Amino acid sequence: MKKLVLMLTLLVAVAFAANFSSLSNSTSLSNSVTPPTEHNAHWQLGGGGSVECVRDGEAVYGSNDDADLTYSGTTIDLTGFDGAAIYVNYTQVAADANDYCTMELNGGVGDVQFADAAGATVITKLVPASISNLTINFNWVSDATGFAAGFKMTVFQVYGVNNGDGTYTNIFDWNSDQGFTHESHDVTGMASNGLACLSFHYTDGGWDWYWAIDNVVLDADGTDVISEDFEAAGWDQDQNGESGLWELDVDRAGGAMAGQNWQADSDGNGSFTFNCETFSPWVSIYQASAVTADFDSNFEDFAGRDHAIFGYYVTLGTGVFTDNFTDLSDWTTSDSGTNIEETTWGQIKTM
């Protein structure tokens, strides 16, 4: 009986070792293999026009991945645009919080960390105005504790936009005295496309009165995407061929409008004719469910000749670059992940 038990024990041990070897897909028990190994995922073309980070021949990512997908094609030049955004169509299914993909612009580590989304999702990333030539890097990382479908990208697009582009929506057009007011307006329509900006437009008949604004806040689903008190600088503007302009000053202040404000002052610039429109920075609030614009205002009219006009623009922008991933000719891939820790015979013996 003891011999039979011993023989069965040996057979179980051999079977366990064989199964472990099959599961690990390993040809060696050495831990000195330089990645990538068969245990690591790397960036490659997937089915249906996609790029994904998976193990060769499988639809899941690997153990201890650290793989980069870096744009290396023709320079993406954003010179001359007032704003720009990146649109990424993707899905991501990760086993745990230690497995994720990030997108980095011009070396900004982790600018975007993608959230899990089993269905096709579009994420919009605003490109900082300081960037003219865009560099992009995607980084996928995972630990060794679980496996899932991981990150898959089907479209990568870059769009540029200039002030005044897109569809304009008017909120109000005043041409009678309002004095000091605090304005709060529903501008949820700003979330209907990829990029949006606020517009404040002042016109007059020559040497009339003024419009001053301050403390502009744009809230999208509880997050302030614009918060401007005009203490440091003003916004871009279009004078529409006239001499009148928006400028920083401390007069026309009062109440909540303490200190410096942003104003179009016809009364203080009697030789100017005003037809000047100022624009907030472009923002990316695509698909926000509730958007509100708040600001302090001081508007004085003369004989119905002055107009204070407030509204916003929305637009997708002008296409600068698109990749639908029929190949990876514009991208460089690299893998610095480590190989997984193999279970040794000593560890098996102690089980």
Side-chain angles (χ1 to χ4, degrees):
M1 179 64 70
K2 289 184 180 179
K3 289 184 180 181
L4 178 58
V5 171
L6 179 60
M7 182 61 71
L8 288 172
T9 302
L10 288 172
L11 287 172
V12 169
V14 169
F16 178 83
N19 287 337
F20 173 78
S21 177
S22 175
L23 288 171
S24 68
N25 290 320
S26 176
T27 57
S28 170
L29 292 178
S30 169
N31 287 320
S32 62
V33 180
T34 301
T37 73
E38 66 271 26
H39 307 292
N40 299 125
H42 61 95
W43 291 97
Q44 52 193 293
L45 291 177
S50 66
V51 61
E52 51 197 90
C53 195
V54 293
R55 295 171 64 173
D56 283 336
E58 300 188 32
V60 297
Y61 56 83
S63 300
N64 296 328
D65 297 320
D66 188 349
D68 291 282
L69 177 72
T70 305
Y71 179 74
S72 55
T74 304
T75 298
I76 301 176
D77 185 4
L78 299 175
T79 304
F81 288 107
D82 295 314
I86 290 172
Y87 302 88
V88 177
N89 297 57
Y90 81 99
T91 62
Q92 179 178 290
V93 182
D96 55 56
N98 295 315
D99 305 341
Y100 56 87
C101 184
T102 61
M103 180 175 68
E104 301 153 5
L105 308 183
N106 288 48
V109 176
D111 284 333
V112 173
Q113 181 167 318
F114 292 92
D116 269 16
T121 300
V122 178
I123 189 169
T124 308
K125 167 63 178 176
L126 199 70
V127 178
S130 59
I131 295 177
S132 56
N133 294 327
L134 186 63
T135 64
I136 311 106
N137 181 72
F138 290 88
N139 177 241
W140 169 263
V141 297
S142 67
D143 59 18
T145 60
F147 308 98
F151 183 83
K152 177 186 292 186
M153 177 168 49
T154 54
V155 179
F156 177 88
Q157 299 173 312
V158 181
Y159 280 79
V161 62
N162 286 308
N163 293 333
D165 286 354
T167 301
Y168 175 76
T169 298
N170 182 246
I171 301 298
F172 64 69
D173 182 348
W174 293 336
N175 72 329
S176 61
D177 289 353
Q178 302 294 315
F180 287 100
T181 60
H182 177 77
E183 299 298 316
S184 183
H185 297 274
D186 181 357
V187 290
T188 303
M190 294 181 73
S192 65
N193 217 322
L195 287 161
C197 79
L198 299 172
S199 164
F200 297 82
H201 191 174
Y202 175 77
T203 67
D204 81 328
W207 203 2
D208 292 329
W209 285 101
Y210 53 81
W211 189 21
I213 60 172
D214 205 355
N215 306 315
V216 182
V217 175
L218 184 69
D219 178 283
D221 291 341
T223 298
D224 290 349
V225 292
I226 292 175
S227 182
E228 181 57 69
D229 62 7
F230 299 109
E231 293 303 317
W235 286 343
D236 287 343
Q237 61 181 298
D238 185 352
Q239 293 171 249
N240 292 301
E242 302 293 343
S243 50
L245 76 165
W246 288 85
E247 54 193 336
L248 294 168
D249 210 331
V250 295
D251 64 347
R252 313 305 182 189
M257 292 180 59
Q260 194 162 254
N261 53 75
W262 190 229
Q263 58 182 256
D265 189 351
S266 178
D267 184 58
N269 294 281
S271 61
F272 292 173
T273 301
F274 283 75
N275 184 16
C276 51
E277 182 179 16
T278 188
F279 308 91
S280 76
W282 288 91
V283 296
S284 169
I285 50 175
Y286 178 57
Q287 294 183 330
S289 59
V291 187
T292 304
D294 287 85
F295 56 93
D296 295 310
S297 172
N298 182 11
F299 175 62
E300 294 294 335
D301 165 70
F302 178 76
R305 301 197 307 178
D306 302 69
H307 286 259
I309 307 165
F310 170 65
Y312 60 84
Y313 293 88
V314 295
T315 182
L316 180 63
T318 300
V320 178
F321 176 81
T322 297
D323 200 327
N324 294 315
F325 300 109
T326 56
D327 59 53
L328 291 179
S329 59
D330 287 326
W331 303 84
T332 299
T333 64
S334 62
D335 183 1
S336 57
T338 58
N339 57 301
I340 65 170
E341 285 291 323
E342 305 283 358
T343 302
T344 67
W345 281 109
Q347 290 171 308
I348 292 173
K349 185 178 179 180
T350 62
M351 290 180 177

